Amino acid sequence: MNSFLRCLSCHAVYAINEPIWKCACGGLLDIEVDFSRTKQWEIVKFPGLWKYLPFIPLPDKSIIITLGEGQTPIIRYLYKNQEILIKQEQLFPTGSYKDRGAAVMISAIRAMGIRSVVEDSSGNAGCSVAAYCAKAGIDCSIYVPASTSPAKLMQISAYGARVVKVEGTREDTARMVLSAASQNYYASHSWNPFFFQGTKTFAYEVWEQTEGKLPDAIILPVGNGTLFLGVYKGFHDLLSMGLIEKIPRMVGVQASLCAPLSHWEKLDLGGIPIDVNTIAEGIAIQKPVRGAQIIEALHQTHGMILEVEEDEIEMALRLAVEQGFFVEPTGVVGLAGTIQYLKRFPEVGKVLTAFTGHGLKSPEKILSVLSH
Ligand SMILES: [Zn+2]
């Protein structure tokens, strides 16, 4: 299996072990994997998502930083007699699906001999990167918006990472870390291409867990699109290997208060008035770095972006806890979108979404929703 880094802007090619996170031209990098000679599904006897190691490009496959992540269960959930499949991505070592990406990215970074990284996050990616850096013995600084949930800040600090709080919007935090990244390696969940080689394992798991009978639509929350794009990439791999005939319809869900991608048909991700004070703090992203790739995935799968109102997110949260699922508000955005989708397309067939982050990440927000 051949793999290399390729710039999405100038198409320059780099070796997979090149210690860079962006192209010399400033463009985003992607990892291209040649599956043309891969004729069979070849898994190994490693725990969690590492059973897919033959399909995960890394600089050195003997160096794996793991906390036992992956293989989350899919639970059937009935909403007004309609079945919704929900993948339990809140059940990761740090409490969010971001561990898929961080495990693979930090393994790659450790193999390249990098000993110090910076990352910016609205919380969960910071927790994941801090945890895997602790395991790998890598020095780590996480830049967060000052408004981030206290439980997430505590979790990042507990792993021994430096927390740098930035006043202003999520974009202000991103600007600040980009200047720090000129001195340090940027372990970014949106820029770093290895992260998506981890999140793509969601698709592999869904394919195996449904025994190849894939859902008609996959409905996921989208901020920077780290899960959404990873899942698209994973299905694309399976398609390239001839293991599936088509990729399910990819449906992204955004909070209406911050939904730049719902204007994707105009290809205009800037200049849209946005209120980032949604209860879904984890997806309050004004300008997704990989917006063009998200739009491409929507085009390729006849997908769509749904907007959910704050009261739809709150209702999904109540439905989740009533059934014993303790999920943070951002983590139920997929369920809120799925309920809206089923109302609009009642004959759709099989749908799958995910709970993306654990309730203990944001207990004060959950309490405020449930108390009114
Ligand atoms: Zn380039």
Side-chain angles (χ1 to χ4, degrees):
M1 190 184 78
N2 259 331
S3 55
F4 50 87
L5 303 169
R6 187 193 288 280
C7 172
L8 294 175
S9 302
C10 74
H11 309 295
V13 169
Y14 301 89
I16 197 78
N17 59 353
E18 193 83 34
I20 52 172
W21 57 269
K22 66 175 177 180
C23 179
C25 82
L28 282 160
L29 295 171
D30 229 351
I31 295 176
E32 282 191 21
V33 187
D34 178 10
F35 287 109
S36 61
R37 267 172 285 169
T38 310
K39 291 280 177 252
Q40 58 180 5
W41 185 241
E42 181 195 359
I43 49 175
V44 291
K45 282 188 176 170
F46 285 0
L49 60 81
W50 294 104
K51 69 190 271 197
Y52 308 119
L53 186 60
F55 305 109
I56 300 175
L58 283 174
D60 181 347
K61 292 202 180 193
S62 70
I63 296 175
I64 289 172
I65 309 298
T66 180
L67 296 168
E69 55 288 323
Q71 303 300 332
T72 55
I74 295 174
I75 303 291
R76 288 178 162 73
Y77 178 94
L78 272 189
Y79 177 76
K80 296 187 176 170
N81 290 326
Q82 278 177 299
E83 187 181 77
I84 300 173
L85 300 176
I86 309 181
K87 197 154 165 62
Q88 305 292 308
E89 296 286 284
Q90 81 280 26
L91 301 179
F92 270 91
T94 78
S96 90
Y97 78 87
K98 294 278 193 343
D99 292 356
R100 289 187 190 277
V104 171
M105 178 175 71
I106 299 301
S107 296
I109 288 171
R110 185 70 188 77
M112 289 186 279
I114 292 161
R115 304 314 298 250
S116 171
V117 301
V118 293
E119 153 75 320
D120 61 316
S121 166
S122 56
N124 285 339
C127 293
S128 286
V129 170
Y132 287 85
C133 279
K135 185 79 197 282
I138 293 172
D139 182 80
C140 169
S141 298
I142 307 288
Y143 289 64
V144 295
S147 58
T148 300
S149 285
K152 294 179 187 174
L153 296 179
M154 187 281 292
Q155 193 181 359
I156 294 168
S157 309
Y159 295 128
R162 249 179 314 285
V163 176
V164 184
K165 286 193 206 173
V166 182
E167 295 295 335
T169 66
R170 179 69 184 79
E171 271 60 35
D172 294 324
T173 306
R175 265 191 293 279
M176 188 81 100
V177 80
L178 276 171
S179 91
S182 61
Q183 309 290 327
N184 286 280
Y185 187 82
Y186 189 19
S188 167
H189 58 290
S190 47
W191 277 88
N192 198 296
F194 284 101
F195 202 94
F196 300 87
Q197 295 297 319
T199 52
K200 77 176 184 181
T201 57
F202 180 106
Y204 293 178
E205 289 178 17
V206 169
W207 178 66
E208 285 196 323
Q209 288 170 312
T210 59
E211 295 173 341
K213 297 180 190 77
L214 288 178
D216 299 286
I218 308 269
I219 305 172
L220 297 171
V222 181
N224 268 313
T226 47
L227 184 58
F228 188 87
L229 280 176
V231 172
Y232 175 69
K233 201 173 276 296
F235 284 126
H236 200 272
D237 289 355
L238 297 172
L239 191 68
S240 303
M241 287 184 263
L243 296 170
I244 61 173
E245 282 171 9
K246 72 172 204 168
I247 298 176
R249 185 179 203 198
M250 296 289 300
V251 179
V253 191
Q254 298 211 291
S256 324
L257 288 179
C258 186
L261 287 163
S262 62
H263 306 267
W264 63 284
E265 272 152 336
K266 290 183 235 152
L267 294 175
D268 176 16
L269 296 178
I272 298 157
I274 275 163
D275 173 1
V276 292
N277 290 316
T278 165
I279 190 174
E281 62 177 22
I283 52 167
I285 306 294
Q286 284 173 290
K287 268 193 169 182
V289 171
R290 292 183 183 265
Q293 281 183 293
I294 297 170
I295 290 163
E296 175 65 13
L298 293 169
H299 273 302
Q300 291 297 331
T301 65
H302 306 288
M304 64 187 296
I305 294 286
L306 299 173
E307 286 186 32
V308 290
E309 303 294 337
E310 297 295 291
D311 60 355
E312 292 177 272
I313 302 172
E314 293 184 11
M315 186 189 77
L317 185 62
R318 286 196 190 89
L319 289 172
V321 290
E322 276 168 23
Q323 297 275 318
F325 299 102
F326 196 51
V327 184
E328 67 169 324
T330 309
V332 296
V333 165
L335 177 60
T338 304
I339 289 169
Q340 190 190 106
Y341 189 80
L342 290 174
K343 283 179 188 154
R344 288 168 67 174
F345 308 101
E347 305 304 323
V348 62
K350 190 149 76 167
V351 292
L352 180 137
T353 185
F355 287 146
T356 53
H358 200 281
L360 291 173
K361 295 278 193 175
S362 196
E364 61 293 322
K365 283 203 170 119
I366 295 176
L367 190 63
S368 92
V369 169
L370 299 182
S371 60
H372 67 254

Short mmCIF file of all heavy atoms in Angstrom, two decimals, residues 7-12 14 23-29, ligand 1:
data_model
loop_
_atom_site.label_atom_id
_atom_site.label_comp_id
_atom_site.label_asym_id
_atom_site.label_seq_id
_atom_site.Cartn_x
_atom_site.Cartn_y
_atom_site.Cartn_z
N CYS A 7 -0.44 18.20 -1.57
CA CYS A 7 -1.03 19.51 -1.31
C CYS A 7 -2.32 19.68 -2.12
O CYS A 7 -2.35 19.39 -3.31
CB CYS A 7 -0.03 20.60 -1.69
SG CYS A 7 -0.75 22.26 -1.61
N LEU A 8 -3.36 20.14 -1.44
CA LEU A 8 -4.64 20.34 -2.13
C LEU A 8 -4.64 21.57 -3.02
O LEU A 8 -5.50 21.71 -3.89
CB LEU A 8 -5.78 20.46 -1.11
CG LEU A 8 -6.07 19.20 -0.27
CD1 LEU A 8 -7.12 19.50 0.79
CD2 LEU A 8 -6.52 18.06 -1.16
N SER A 9 -3.66 22.50 -2.82
CA SER A 9 -3.62 23.71 -3.64
C SER A 9 -2.70 23.56 -4.85
O SER A 9 -3.14 23.66 -5.98
CB SER A 9 -3.13 24.91 -2.80
OG SER A 9 -3.98 25.09 -1.70
N CYS A 10 -1.39 23.27 -4.60
CA CYS A 10 -0.43 23.23 -5.72
C CYS A 10 -0.10 21.80 -6.16
O CYS A 10 0.65 21.61 -7.10
CB CYS A 10 0.86 23.97 -5.34
SG CYS A 10 1.89 23.06 -4.18
N HIS A 11 -0.67 20.80 -5.45
CA HIS A 11 -0.50 19.38 -5.78
C HIS A 11 0.92 18.85 -5.59
O HIS A 11 1.25 17.77 -6.08
CB HIS A 11 -1.00 19.07 -7.20
CG HIS A 11 -2.39 19.59 -7.45
ND1 HIS A 11 -3.48 19.09 -6.76
CD2 HIS A 11 -2.85 20.60 -8.23
CE1 HIS A 11 -4.56 19.76 -7.15
NE2 HIS A 11 -4.21 20.68 -8.02
N ALA A 12 1.77 19.61 -4.86
CA ALA A 12 3.12 19.10 -4.54
C ALA A 12 2.97 17.81 -3.73
O ALA A 12 2.00 17.64 -2.99
CB ALA A 12 3.89 20.14 -3.73
N TYR A 14 4.82 14.98 -1.05
CA TYR A 14 5.86 14.79 -0.03
C TYR A 14 5.80 13.36 0.48
O TYR A 14 4.72 12.73 0.46
CB TYR A 14 5.61 15.72 1.17
CG TYR A 14 5.59 17.20 0.86
CD1 TYR A 14 4.41 17.84 0.49
CD2 TYR A 14 6.76 17.97 0.96
CE1 TYR A 14 4.37 19.20 0.22
CE2 TYR A 14 6.73 19.34 0.69
CZ TYR A 14 5.54 19.94 0.33
OH TYR A 14 5.51 21.29 0.06
N CYS A 23 1.71 22.54 3.32
CA CYS A 23 2.61 22.59 2.16
C CYS A 23 3.49 23.84 2.24
O CYS A 23 3.13 24.83 2.88
CB CYS A 23 1.78 22.59 0.88
SG CYS A 23 2.76 22.68 -0.62
N ALA A 24 4.63 23.80 1.55
CA ALA A 24 5.50 24.99 1.48
C ALA A 24 4.73 26.17 0.91
O ALA A 24 5.03 27.33 1.23
CB ALA A 24 6.72 24.67 0.62
N CYS A 25 3.70 25.93 0.08
CA CYS A 25 2.91 27.01 -0.51
C CYS A 25 1.85 27.52 0.48
O CYS A 25 1.14 28.47 0.19
CB CYS A 25 2.24 26.55 -1.82
SG CYS A 25 0.71 25.62 -1.56
N GLY A 26 1.73 26.87 1.63
CA GLY A 26 0.71 27.26 2.62
C GLY A 26 -0.57 26.44 2.51
O GLY A 26 -1.48 26.58 3.33
N GLY A 27 -0.63 25.58 1.50
CA GLY A 27 -1.87 24.81 1.27
C GLY A 27 -2.07 23.66 2.25
O GLY A 27 -1.14 23.23 2.93
N LEU A 28 -3.31 23.17 2.30
CA LEU A 28 -3.66 22.01 3.13
C LEU A 28 -3.09 20.74 2.51
O LEU A 28 -3.09 20.58 1.29
CB LEU A 28 -5.18 21.85 3.17
CG LEU A 28 -5.98 22.77 4.07
CD1 LEU A 28 -7.43 22.80 3.60
CD2 LEU A 28 -5.90 22.31 5.52
N LEU A 29 -2.66 19.81 3.38
CA LEU A 29 -2.18 18.52 2.90
C LEU A 29 -3.24 17.45 3.11
O LEU A 29 -4.02 17.51 4.06
CB LEU A 29 -0.92 18.12 3.67
CG LEU A 29 0.31 18.99 3.49
CD1 LEU A 29 1.40 18.57 4.48
CD2 LEU A 29 0.85 18.92 2.05
ZN ZN B 1 1.17 23.48 -2.06
#
